[in-house]
Amino acid sequence: TIIYFVYSSQNDTNSENESLKRTVNELQKDNDKKEDLINRLDAKNVNKEEEDIRKKAKEFVKVLYVTDPQMDDKKRYENAKKVMDKSLADQYYGDKRKSPIKYKTEIENVNIYSERYSPKKSDYHMYLTLTQAIKDNNGKIVSSRDIASEITLKQEKSNDWKVVKFKQFDEQKNEYKDEDKD
């Protein structure tokens, strides 16, 4: 009986130790997550992360709206995958150009409106307004259009942000007058 009691109590102790180890590991993981959130809530980090999201949105706009007939499609596709998820990059660029780029375009007056930033969130909706200027072969602006769009950025496991949704609203065309004809 004594041997059975000793053996039984040792098994119970081992089982209890294993259970406690699992609990400690779970608590440590939870503590690490909370510590990470506390660090992210620091004002300096909040400002940095918000700036990173805005920067990613500006890069997206540049990849999408700045064009040149001489652009390398593969390089543009690689740049697109850096700022948007693969399915969105495939939709807009893919392996083959869907329509030829006829004009050189640049963007001006980019304004980004976003939700209030919080490190707790893993996705953000942003609204963008910009003017896309279309230039002729000599680099002279021949026309422009005002564009408004909505994008959704999602945080990936690597803490990198990528655009996962994009919607462009109706555009308004602005015509520039040729000063030489006046």
Side-chain angles (χ1 to χ4, degrees):
T1 337
I2 296 174
I3 293 172
Y4 175 75
F5 179 73
V6 170
Y7 181 74
S8 175
S9 66
Q10 185 178 6
N11 281 342
D12 290 344
T13 305
N14 286 342
S15 174
E16 192 175 315
N17 282 343
E18 289 299 318
S19 176
L20 289 173
K21 284 179 184 178
R22 282 192 298 273
T23 304
V24 167
N25 284 338
E26 289 173 14
L27 289 172
Q28 185 64 41
K29 286 179 185 176
D30 188 47
N31 192 26
D32 290 345
K33 287 179 185 177
K34 288 179 180 176
E35 189 175 321
D36 182 50
L37 183 59
I38 289 169
N39 289 337
R40 290 181 66 202
L41 286 170
D42 180 23
K44 291 177 186 176
N45 287 336
V46 168
N47 292 339
K48 182 191 175 301
E49 287 187 26
E50 185 174 16
E51 187 58 36
D52 289 346
I53 295 170
R54 288 181 161 281
K55 184 178 175 185
K56 192 64 76 166
K58 286 180 183 179
E59 289 174 26
F60 171 79
V61 167
K62 187 175 179 182
V63 166
L64 195 64
Y65 291 112
V66 175
T67 62
D68 190 327
Q70 305 302 317
M71 286 183 125
D72 178 7
D73 290 338
K74 288 183 181 182
K75 184 176 180 184
R76 189 170 188 212
Y77 179 59
E78 290 303 315
N79 288 340
K81 288 193 296 185
K82 291 177 185 174
V83 294
M84 57 184 94
D85 73 345
K86 186 173 178 347
S87 64
L88 200 59
D90 288 343
Q91 178 184 344
Y92 284 99
Y93 303 103
D95 295 330
K96 198 172 186 182
R97 187 181 287 178
K98 293 172 179 59
S99 60
I101 296 174
K102 297 179 183 178
Y103 305 102
K104 182 175 184 167
T105 60
E106 292 183 3
I107 54 175
E108 303 168 338
N109 306 325
V110 178
N111 295 305
I112 299 174
Y113 308 95
S114 63
E115 298 177 76
R116 185 175 180 97
Y117 180 77
S118 170
K120 294 178 185 177
K121 293 179 123 184
S122 63
D123 63 324
Y124 279 90
H125 301 285
M126 298 180 133
Y127 294 93
L128 308 162
T129 60
L130 61 99
T131 302
Q132 184 180 33
I134 301 170
K135 297 184 172 189
D136 64 11
N137 292 337
N138 299 326
K140 183 178 177 185
I141 296 175
V142 292
S143 70
S144 70
R145 62 184 187 152
D146 291 334
I147 299 171
S149 56
E150 175 185 9
I151 64 173
T152 301
L153 291 105
K154 190 160 188 76
Q155 188 175 26
E156 297 184 325
K157 291 179 182 177
S158 63
N159 287 337
D160 191 24
W161 292 86
K162 295 220 176 172
V163 176
V164 293
K165 286 185 186 175
F166 168 73
K167 179 181 177 185
Q168 180 174 307
F169 303 112
D170 289 337
E171 61 195 55
Q172 174 190 359
K173 293 189 177 191
N174 294 331
E175 296 296 326
Y176 283 91
K177 293 183 181 179
D178 191 359
E179 287 85 24
D180 297 334
K181 294 180 181 179
D182 288 338

